[in-house]
Amino acid sequence: MRRLPSLNGLRAFEAAGRHCSFTAAAKELNVTQTAVSRLVRLLEGRLGFSLFQRHASALELTAQGQAFLAGLTDALDSIARLAESVAAMR
């Protein structure tokens, strides 16, 4: 069985990718900007590729980051829909 990347890292990347900002992602997730940055770095290390190009005052998704974000957002949305549908089975 394959080992999944850290779910916290995936959540941090997904939020940072949507906002193109570690600061905005941190605010959404109620953690520090440093925590989001660290989680994304660890995720990049686990995946073996960069998700962002880091500039002095901005983040930009790499091509791999864009592709990963699209698939990850779909996967997280699917999990949310599954949870809602199972909760409605009363």
Side-chain angles (χ1 to χ4, degrees):
M1 182 174 172
R2 293 185 187 150
R3 205 173 120 232
L4 286 175
S6 158
L7 294 178
N8 286 335
L10 293 172
R11 288 183 63 221
F13 165 67
E14 198 273 337
R18 278 188 290 105
H19 295 290
C20 280
S21 166
F22 290 154
T23 302
K27 186 174 181 179
E28 177 181 320
L29 299 172
N30 295 312
V31 297
T32 65
Q33 179 272 338
T34 303
V36 171
S37 178
R38 179 169 162 61
L39 287 166
V40 171
R41 282 261 186 224
L42 290 170
L43 179 61
E44 289 173 323
R46 171 85 166 90
L47 296 173
F49 55 84
S50 294
L51 298 164
F52 292 103
Q53 290 181 345
R54 290 153 174 87
H55 305 288
S57 61
L59 287 177
E60 182 181 349
L61 286 163
T62 63
Q64 288 172 308
Q66 289 174 357
F68 195 68
L69 179 62
L72 180 59
T73 299
D74 288 345
L76 293 175
D77 288 346
S78 291
I79 292 168
R81 284 190 303 273
L82 175 62
E84 288 170 3
S85 69
V86 170
M89 295 175 65
R90 295 179 208 183

